[in-house]
Amino acid sequence: MPYEKLEITTPTPVLSWANHSLGSDETKMAKNMASLPFVFKHIALMPDVHLGKGALVGSVIATKEAIMPAAVGVDIGCGMSAIKTPFTGEQLEGKLKKIRLDIEAAIPTGFNENKEVEKSVTNWQRWGDFSDLHRGVQDLQGKAMKQMGSLGGGNHFIEVCVDTENQVWLMLHSGSRHIGNNLAQCHINTAKELAKMAGNKLPDPDLAHFVAGTPEFQAYWHDLQWSQDYARVNRDVMMARFKRIVEKHLAGGKATKPLLEVNCHHNYAEKEIHFGEDVYVTRKGAVRAQTEDYGIIPGSMGAKSFIVKGKGNAHSFCSCSHGAGRLMSRNKAKNVYTLDDLIEQTQGVECRKDTGVLDEIPGAYKPIEQVMENQADLVEVVATLKQVLCVKG
């Protein structure tokens, strides 16, 4: 569906690809964002839009000469990685549980970290810049090294999927871990302090911003780019381990060449050109979808996921959704659904089926087919995947 312009009175328009009207809290958040003087052109809301902190999750905000660290969020560089393998669905038969147990043994989840730092991590060139990061994280390099190649918690996951042509895909979702979170918090606090000192009357303290050209802006931008690189490499390290596990079970340990590789952020900011002007684009729960960009739009475990190619839609600032989007909060999902519901909704998927992952039940998310229908003008579907194995963070 094409976008609709929200009927709200703000200095900057809000364009929405969601097929539902926003709730009062979401509308207020959209109004707050659209009332900021440095927002460029309009704000774009993706079809999976829902309540966030400061800015709506599923929003794309282009700004001139300013950036809001809380709008980028605390999981800097969070995103997806996927590879299409030469294996077929039949080769997985009878092996899924063993593969899952091997993944859980090889890739730390939740707050856990690797016991040893592997060579590919030690060799990452950007460790040399660590001393230039915010002083508040200078005691965290050891932890950051041990966490590179770890999944984290929440809605982060590792999945084996099969597409409609019975081809096996490996897919995972993770970000910049503890170090990215800490860097984000340090800079969000600085932005809030500056706003307080300047007597800025912000509609929401989480919309505190840095002005381009200031030392605070430079420091944040440097740490933001570093964290985004960390997140990307974190996914690469996990994917290499994940691929070796699958090859052990399906190819006797023989290395194979991926048929397609995708690695994309969906919580980040970059400098881009839109409508002929240089702007800072913050994608909070959105994927870049320029022409020829490959992206990943996952559904919930037990639902479909999609590999897409961007159509370069200028009105969305060349963006698309980053998933299905939550219908209900984690706490509400735990109160509404039972363990039996989880077992029923994840039928046919090799995954944990206990109350610890009840908040990630498919029913807590919007129907992914509807989300995809709403953004037919933003992306084309390259592959439709179905999860057969899921490891949750």
Side-chain angles (χ1 to χ4, degrees):
M1 90 169 197
Y3 62 84
E4 61 172 353
K5 189 175 162 187
L6 291 194
E7 289 178 16
I8 53 175
T9 312
T10 48
T12 309
V14 178
L15 310 184
S16 174
W17 274 259
N19 68 331
H20 56 85
S21 53
L22 301 183
S24 57
D25 289 345
E26 292 164 316
T27 303
K28 188 181 175 195
M29 199 167 266
K31 274 185 175 176
N32 289 347
M33 290 170 3
S35 67
L36 297 165
F38 47 80
V39 169
F40 174 73
K41 212 79 178 161
H42 58 261
I43 283 167
L45 303 182
M46 300 296 99
D48 60 338
V49 67
H50 58 281
L51 216 52
K53 200 167 159 49
L56 291 163
V57 178
S59 61
V60 185
I61 313 156
T63 51
K64 292 284 282 184
E65 304 302 318
I67 195 155
M68 298 170 286
V72 177
V74 293
D75 196 356
I76 298 171
C78 183
M80 300 283 307
S81 179
I83 64 172
K84 183 180 185 179
T85 75
F87 306 121
T88 59
E90 290 87 2
Q91 291 172 270
L92 292 168
E93 278 175 35
K95 296 170 183 169
L96 287 174
K97 189 165 186 183
K98 283 179 182 168
I99 291 172
R100 176 169 72 89
L101 294 174
D102 276 0
I103 293 167
E104 288 171 349
I107 298 174
T109 59
F111 294 108
N112 298 329
E113 56 192 40
N114 295 290
K115 290 181 176 67
E116 305 290 328
V117 179
E118 69 175 73
K119 203 172 175 193
S120 66
V121 171
T122 314
N123 290 344
W124 186 46
Q125 290 180 327
R126 295 215 64 182
W127 293 123
D129 300 337
F130 200 91
S131 58
D132 298 328
L133 298 176
H134 193 286
R135 66 180 184 278
V137 303
Q138 287 307 313
D139 59 339
L140 293 178
Q141 184 167 353
K143 187 175 184 69
M145 290 180 92
K146 284 192 168 176
Q147 280 202 330
M148 186 177 267
S150 67
L151 190 65
N155 61 355
H156 292 167
F157 60 77
I158 298 169
E159 289 181 341
V160 176
C161 306
V162 177
D163 68 17
T164 47
E165 269 136 42
N166 209 26
Q167 209 75 33
V168 173
W169 291 70
L170 312 184
M171 189 161 82
L172 58 86
H173 173 206
S174 189
S176 54
R177 305 295 288 107
H178 186 73
I179 187 66
N181 186 316
N182 272 257
L183 281 167
Q185 298 288 3
C186 289
H187 290 287
I188 288 167
N189 292 340
T190 303
K192 286 181 177 177
E193 282 301 312
L194 286 177
K196 216 173 179 178
M197 281 159 58
N200 281 359
K201 296 273 188 287
L202 291 166
D204 180 337
D206 279 313
L207 295 176
H209 61 277
F210 295 129
V211 178
T214 60
E216 292 84 3
F217 183 102
Q218 290 310 120
Y220 175 62
W221 193 256
H222 170 272
D223 292 2
L224 179 72
Q225 300 306 311
W226 187 93
S227 302
Q228 287 171 188
D229 286 350
Y230 178 100
R232 188 181 294 279
V233 177
N234 179 43
R235 291 193 289 272
D236 284 341
V237 172
M238 281 189 283
M239 185 58 84
R241 260 184 233 167
F242 182 16
K243 181 172 173 280
R244 283 196 297 270
I245 289 165
V246 172
E247 285 165 348
K248 179 183 108 176
H249 290 279
L250 305 191
K254 187 170 164 279
T256 59
K257 197 173 169 21
L259 306 178
L260 180 69
E261 296 180 77
V262 190
N263 192 337
C264 57
H265 297 318
H266 56 223
N267 265 15
Y268 73 115
E270 284 294 353
K271 202 168 185 180
E272 296 176 3
I273 297 171
H274 291 277
F275 299 97
E277 295 195 43
D278 283 330
V279 289
Y280 296 99
V281 178
T282 297
R283 292 187 178 92
K284 186 182 181 79
V287 178
R288 198 183 73 176
Q290 292 176 357
T291 314
E292 301 303 304
D293 269 346
Y294 281 99
I296 305 165
I297 304 175
S300 60
M301 60 176 178
K304 291 172 187 167
S305 293
F306 298 87
I307 307 295
V308 297
K309 200 186 251 190
K311 289 187 174 179
N313 186 312
H315 299 291
S316 71
F317 298 106
C318 300
S319 309
C320 66
S321 87
H322 80 312
R326 293 194 76 90
L327 263 180
M328 57 179 75
S329 70
R330 294 184 182 283
N331 283 338
K332 190 175 178 187
K334 285 174 183 171
N335 292 331
V336 168
Y337 290 109
T338 65
L339 186 54
D340 286 345
D341 294 327
L342 177 73
I343 291 164
E344 189 185 329
Q345 289 186 28
T346 57
Q347 242 177 340
V349 182
E350 172 59 47
C351 63
R352 275 175 59 196
K353 297 180 195 272
D354 57 62
T355 51
V357 290
L358 195 53
D359 55 344
E360 283 294 308
I361 189 168
Y365 286 85
K366 293 176 184 174
I368 189 71
E369 286 87 354
Q370 183 66 63
V371 168
M372 295 307 296
E373 201 179 300
N374 291 0
Q375 56 189 334
D377 58 336
L378 305 183
V379 290
E380 63 170 294
V381 174
V382 173
T384 302
L385 318 182
K386 178 76 180 74
Q387 297 86 331
V388 291
L389 180 157
C390 179
V391 172
K392 278 284 179 191

